[in-house]
Amino acid sequence: MADRGGRSGSGVVVGGGGLAVSGRLDKSIILPPDEIFRNLENAKRFAIDIGGSLAKLAYYSTVQHKVARVRSFDQSGKDGEHESPYEITVQEEITARLHFIKFENTYIETCLDFIKDHLVNTETKVIKATGGGAYKFKDLIEKKLGLKLDKEDVMTCLIKGCNFVLKNIPHEVFVYMKDADPEFRFQMNHPHIFPYLLVNIGSGVSIVKVETEDKFEWIGGSSIGGGTFWGLGALLTQTKKFDELLQLASKGQHTNVDMLVKDVYGGAYQTLGLSGNLIASSFGKSATADKEFSKEDMAKSLLHMISNDIGQLACLYAKLHNLNKIYFGGFFIRGHPVTMRTITYSINFFSKGEVQALFLRHEGYLGAIGAFLKGAEEDNPNLYSWGENYAGSSGLMSSSPDLCPMQRERSGTFDLLEMDRLDRTLVNLPLLKDPSTYIPDTVDLTDDALARKYWLSCFEEALDGVAKRAAASQPDSVDALERAEKFRQKYWDKLQTLRQQPFAYGTLTVRSLLDTREHCLNEFNFPDPYSKVKQKENGIALKCYQGVVESLDSLGWEERQFALVKGLLAGNVFDWGAKAVSDVLETEPQFGFEEAKEKLQERPWLEDSYNQWLERVKGPPHKCALIFADNSGIDIILGVFPFVRELLSRGTEVILACNSGPALNDVTYSESLLVTEKIAATDSIIWSALKDERLLVVQTGSSSPCLDLSRLDKGLANLVRERKTDLVVIEGMGRAIHTNYYAAFTCESLKLAVIKNSWLADRLGGKIFSVIFKYEVPLQ
């Protein structure tokens, strides 16, 4: 592959043998440095973790990107002079990003040359380093870079890194199931990550009990670990490379070498209550059998012996310290399916299924992350929430050697993790019934092959349209078309990876597909492709607001309640993220609020608990309602605000929560403030509620078309507690169907949406524009 930038002499070569200067290796993949080491010109500081065979580089950079801002027009002119309710400006914003890169030690000197050229002039004056290589290569590093090296304790760095990913990456943890499809099963991170057992299998085995962020204790270990497997394996098979030894083991049959229970007891083993296939003696047959054993069989037997020993030891320590979470990491694991399988089997056997062997998607980076954090106290990275940047991270690879061989070759050589610092600290919504079991996503596409095939095709088919809209949203930019094409290609590549490896970034869901698309749009400076559309639609809807409210006020009480709900649903039709709707909106400019009402399914709805809701609102008012708004324009202005107005009139306080950042045509917090201000100028009920703080407009901390209630703005969570919120309203297909359809709360909830996708409607037993109106009361 040629260097696309035409810089044939400046590339970094990534091939099966490691990292090298261009031209050093044959049959290599040549990539420009900025495709591997990104944002180097803004790098601030760095740290390294050098193990026995792999080096991990961590660096912190600032990323400049464009953001679309909205603001009221200059007060010197009257609002009436403007068709739009506000103006849009594009500004440059700087955010922080963490980069982690993994590569082989074979080319450590080349890597150090690269660091010298690009990172030595950063704020790093003393290099934080961990791992055995920090000792082995200390003199070389200091000489090459001209900087002092500060060695950090391996275990401290490992645990700091582990805590960091457990807190910040929701689908970090997985269990490995060899015979399942797919073999990876991801877990949502529990809000309380402590205590846990960390079993690090390197040359030997270290077992550490982690109780808090800073409190951990080495409680045991063993000299029989990965080094034992490697050393004995080399003696038995004359195979010197660790990965080749594992490859042999994956092809072997251990029963040719191991003595099984049935070999010892014959048919009588059943009286012992044991399986005949259990290993009674590792390598037991080699003492009596007069034959040669294959390298594959000996490697497999050895792998079982080491893994069973480690598994039993880990289970005993977990039981001794009353722990049920064991995370495994280290060189022995390193994402190898054969080692994860044997460790998993061992843990299941010795714990009788009560403890799961848990693995980490970014296990290889824990030491580098920890070393970086040790040197970054002044930036206080632990005071912020971070999120994985899907556009810049390479994903977890499949265990199948036949799947994407090019990617597997590259993944063994280097891979990337990028994390962006988020503006807000994110926490659980306090109203979740059980945060530890909450799963935001309704369908796991990793598991549901039919749904996965449909949604991947759906996003592929929409891609050209999204790229076209992105370019059209910046008509004054000379390179908008070029950037839109780069976005299209990058997202297309991500979709192809997910077709082959649906587990690459954790559990695959509609939410993660949408979020990945937003990350890719931002990567190429398309922060809000729908900003002009939202501006126009908000302006049109504001002009209709007074008429809609007057029409509602003229109705009798019961008739008005139904009209309010129907208005909420009709407003939700206006979703540019749904192809069926965007086609209508682009071809029928006259399509409006009344036309949307006509599209709605007649009652009884697909999910219909409206009668129960009506009975409830005949009773005492709710104390405080939390409403998660969806789309801009008609949705929020003509659908949500009249509903808000009714609640306020009943004496209910309202928290209106909107996205912190843009996604599709969802209303953002900054837009909602201006819209609320415009409505308050003509509506005394809204004006009074704002003045008395009975209506509060807040941000969710999210920039997604979907809603993860385990990662919400801390300020919103505090407000929900303070106001004793007793009603949650979630509207929209992304927030109430793709996510949170099964979410359980400690208070009453309303989930409502119009299904604007034919395939999804058919799967749920309805038709397009079927209605979901789900009112739920928690069981006492």
Side-chain angles (χ1 to χ4, degrees):
M1 185 173 79
D3 181 336
R4 285 177 287 173
R7 297 168 291 180
S8 59
S10 64
V12 169
V13 172
V14 182
L19 193 69
V21 177
S22 294
R24 293 267 185 93
L25 296 174
D26 294 329
K27 299 179 181 176
S28 298
I29 303 160
I30 304 177
L31 297 169
D34 57 4
E35 290 200 14
I36 303 172
F37 300 94
R38 291 155 29 106
N39 304 311
L40 281 165
E41 69 278 7
N42 298 319
K44 299 297 180 190
R45 58 180 59 86
F46 68 96
I48 50 179
D49 171 19
I50 309 175
S53 64
L54 292 173
K56 281 78 72 175
L57 173 68
Y59 65 96
Y60 163 91
S61 74
T62 53
V63 183
Q64 195 167 29
H65 60 93
K66 289 183 170 60
V67 291
R69 298 282 186 213
V70 299
R71 65 181 184 189
S72 294
F73 287 103
D74 188 340
Q75 291 303 307
S76 59
K78 294 183 179 177
D79 284 352
E81 296 173 3
H82 304 285
E83 277 296 311
S84 305
Y86 51 78
E87 64 177 326
I88 303 167
T89 59
V90 176
Q91 300 171 10
E92 294 287 342
E93 191 172 83
I94 293 175
T95 55
R97 181 172 290 175
L98 292 176
H99 307 255
F100 304 98
I101 300 140
K102 188 192 303 177
F103 48 86
E104 293 179 4
N105 283 353
T106 316
Y107 296 95
I108 186 71
E109 291 207 42
T110 305
C111 175
L112 292 174
D113 286 335
F114 194 87
I115 292 172
K116 182 179 179 181
D117 291 342
H118 294 90
L119 290 172
V120 164
N121 294 324
T122 65
E123 295 170 12
T124 300
K125 302 305 175 199
V126 176
I127 307 165
K128 294 289 184 182
T130 190
Y135 296 83
K136 182 178 179 180
F137 297 112
K138 180 179 184 294
D139 293 340
L140 174 66
I141 293 169
E142 291 187 337
K143 181 181 176 184
K144 278 265 186 185
L145 303 185
L147 296 173
K148 187 177 182 298
L149 186 139
D150 191 358
K151 299 185 292 294
E152 292 291 341
D153 176 66
V154 173
M155 200 52 67
T156 301
C157 291
L158 202 63
I159 288 156
K160 267 189 172 291
C162 190
N163 292 341
F164 188 80
V165 296
L166 289 176
K167 283 195 306 181
N168 289 292
I169 303 182
H171 288 164
E172 177 63 27
V173 178
F174 64 91
V175 295
Y176 183 79
M177 303 166 71
K178 172 65 177 74
D179 299 318
D181 181 22
E183 60 263 50
F184 301 94
R185 285 285 186 271
F186 289 88
Q187 301 187 346
M188 284 294 290
N189 285 350
H190 192 288
H192 309 294
I193 64 175
F194 305 109
Y196 63 84
L197 205 63
L198 180 63
V199 179
N200 193 55
I201 314 171
S203 299
V205 180
S206 293
I207 299 176
V208 184
K209 178 184 178 182
V210 184
E211 296 184 70
T212 67
E213 194 74 52
D214 300 307
K215 186 181 178 184
F216 61 90
E217 178 188 4
W218 185 88
I219 57 173
S222 171
S223 61
I224 301 171
T228 315
F229 172 68
W230 197 351
L232 285 177
L235 290 172
L236 288 168
T237 68
Q238 281 71 55
T239 301
K240 295 294 184 182
K241 290 191 175 180
F242 185 82
D243 288 354
E244 287 179 13
L245 192 59
L246 283 178
Q247 191 68 18
L248 286 175
S250 69
K251 297 174 183 175
Q253 178 54 262
H254 75 98
T255 54
N256 292 333
V257 181
D258 292 342
M259 189 175 288
L260 307 182
V261 168
K262 64 185 177 185
D263 296 323
V264 177
Y265 291 96
Y269 65 84
Q270 291 174 332
T271 61
L272 302 172
L274 296 172
S275 165
N277 291 321
L278 282 179
I279 299 171
S281 175
S282 295
F283 288 92
K285 287 179 181 174
S286 61
T288 55
D290 187 19
K291 66 172 185 177
E292 290 290 320
F293 294 96
S294 74
K295 292 180 180 181
E296 290 83 358
D297 293 348
M298 288 190 291
K300 188 61 168 283
S301 175
L302 183 62
L303 181 67
H304 276 297
M305 184 179 82
I306 303 294
S307 298
N308 286 336
D309 185 64
I310 294 169
Q312 185 172 32
L313 196 62
C315 279
L316 289 171
Y317 274 108
K319 191 172 183 180
L320 186 64
H321 292 270
N322 199 28
L323 298 171
N324 59 11
K325 287 184 289 190
I326 307 179
Y327 297 113
F328 287 89
F331 182 83
F332 184 72
I333 302 294
R334 219 178 71 203
H336 286 296
V338 67
T339 56
M340 291 191 295
R341 183 187 187 186
T342 51
I343 286 288
T344 298
Y345 177 85
S346 177
I347 291 293
N348 286 341
F349 177 79
F350 288 113
S351 74
K352 296 183 171 62
E354 292 178 5
V355 176
Q356 282 184 317
L358 300 170
F359 305 98
L360 301 170
R361 193 154 60 92
H362 299 104
E363 180 275 324
Y365 289 121
L366 302 187
I369 292 171
F372 176 82
L373 294 174
K374 288 284 284 184
E377 278 88 356
E378 63 194 75
D379 292 314
N380 290 322
N382 272 318
L383 295 183
Y384 300 92
S385 290
W386 298 76
E388 182 175 5
N389 184 305
Y390 295 130
S393 297
S394 50
L396 191 67
M397 295 298 135
S398 168
S399 63
S400 169
D402 303 319
L403 203 58
C404 300
M406 175 71 80
Q407 284 187 312
R408 284 193 61 75
E409 183 185 11
R410 285 177 56 183
S411 76
T413 304
F414 86 98
D415 59 36
L416 311 171
L417 165 62
E418 291 188 355
M419 298 182 72
D420 289 329
R421 192 177 77 189
L422 307 178
D423 294 330
R424 332 284 303 169
T425 300
L426 304 182
V427 297
N428 283 295
L429 177 69
L431 302 173
L432 285 173
K433 186 176 181 181
D434 182 3
S436 66
T437 59
Y438 167 72
I439 298 172
D441 304 291
T442 306
V443 179
D444 179 351
L445 302 182
T446 324
D447 202 34
D448 190 329
L450 193 66
R452 178 170 74 245
K453 182 180 178 183
Y454 170 76
W455 284 111
L456 284 169
S457 297
C458 186
F459 278 87
E460 279 180 4
E461 289 164 12
L463 185 50
D464 286 346
V466 176
K468 185 179 175 182
R469 175 164 294 283
S473 72
Q474 297 179 5
D476 300 328
S477 172
V478 293
D479 66 343
L481 279 171
E482 182 188 346
R483 284 185 287 112
E485 174 56 26
K486 285 181 177 178
F487 150 73
R488 194 195 68 77
Q489 189 59 55
K490 181 141 198 171
Y491 190 55
W492 172 266
D493 290 344
K494 293 285 180 186
L495 291 174
Q496 302 326 302
T497 296
L498 291 167
R499 274 197 185 279
Q500 301 292 339
Q501 299 147 213
F503 44 78
Y505 298 96
T507 301
L508 182 64
T509 63
V510 173
R511 174 171 64 96
S512 68
L513 287 169
L514 285 163
D515 289 351
T516 303
R517 190 168 71 183
E518 293 299 319
H519 288 185
C520 290
L521 281 166
N522 278 311
E523 192 67 31
F524 295 101
N525 270 326
F526 294 109
D528 194 354
Y530 288 86
S531 57
K532 296 280 200 305
V533 172
K534 291 186 288 181
Q535 181 191 39
K536 180 183 177 184
E537 291 183 348
N538 283 331
I540 292 169
L542 283 167
K543 289 176 182 175
C544 302
Y545 177 78
Q546 203 62 41
V548 168
V549 166
E550 287 172 3
S551 174
L552 287 165
D553 286 347
S554 70
L555 300 174
W557 184 85
E558 194 158 320
E559 195 181 357
R560 186 169 73 251
Q561 302 314 306
F562 185 69
L564 284 163
V565 166
K566 198 170 180 183
L568 265 176
L569 294 166
N572 194 243
V573 168
F574 292 84
D575 182 354
W576 282 87
K579 190 175 186 301
V581 175
S582 62
D583 288 348
V584 170
L585 296 177
E586 286 182 336
T587 56
E588 299 178 37
Q590 76 284 359
F591 187 87
F593 194 42
E594 295 307 314
E595 287 78 9
K597 289 178 186 176
E598 295 298 316
K599 289 275 188 186
L600 297 177
Q601 174 192 16
E602 293 290 327
R603 289 193 69 200
W605 294 323
L606 186 60
E607 175 90 35
D608 193 336
S609 47
Y610 174 74
N611 291 342
Q612 292 92 315
W613 169 250
L614 184 64
E615 286 305 307
R616 172 61 186 87
V617 291
K618 286 177 182 176
H622 295 91
K623 178 166 181 50
C624 179
L626 168 62
I627 301 177
F628 290 99
D630 190 8
N631 306 306
S632 60
I634 287 174
D635 192 357
I636 189 168
I637 294 167
L638 305 186
V640 173
F641 262 100
F643 186 75
V644 167
R645 188 175 182 269
E646 182 77 10
L647 289 173
L648 292 168
S649 300
R650 282 171 53 80
T652 301
E653 296 177 349
V654 175
I655 301 169
L656 184 61
C658 303
N659 267 13
S660 295
L664 296 173
N665 67 314
D666 292 4
V667 64
T668 63
Y669 168 67
S670 53
E671 291 160 358
S672 65
L673 287 176
L674 294 175
V675 162
T676 305
E677 182 185 297
K678 297 288 183 188
I679 290 173
T682 62
D683 189 324
S684 60
I685 293 174
I686 300 297
W687 180 85
S688 173
L690 277 175
K691 182 173 70 72
D692 298 339
E693 294 189 347
R694 290 182 293 111
L695 170 60
L696 296 158
V697 182
V698 296
Q699 53 188 315
T700 61
S702 170
S703 300
S704 170
C706 295
L707 183 63
D708 181 353
L709 297 175
S710 68
R711 286 171 71 81
L712 287 181
D713 176 58
K714 191 175 181 179
L716 169 58
N718 291 339
L719 193 59
V720 163
R721 281 195 198 92
E722 290 167 12
R723 297 295 172 111
K724 295 182 170 55
T725 301
D726 54 355
L727 174 66
V728 176
V729 181
I730 305 176
E731 65 132 356
M733 204 162 77
R735 289 165 176 77
I737 297 180
H738 292 315
T739 53
N740 299 301
Y741 192 71
Y742 298 118
F745 300 98
T746 57
C747 65
E748 295 171 52
S749 64
L750 264 182
K751 299 167 188 174
L752 54 141
V754 177
I755 303 172
K756 293 148 289 192
N757 177 283
S758 297
W759 182 89
L760 180 62
D762 184 61
R763 186 168 244 227
L764 293 174
K767 296 178 181 177
I768 195 161
F769 299 115
S770 288
V771 168
I772 298 293
F773 187 91
K774 196 176 184 184
Y775 169 59
E776 295 175 302
V777 180
L779 295 172
Q780 297 300 319

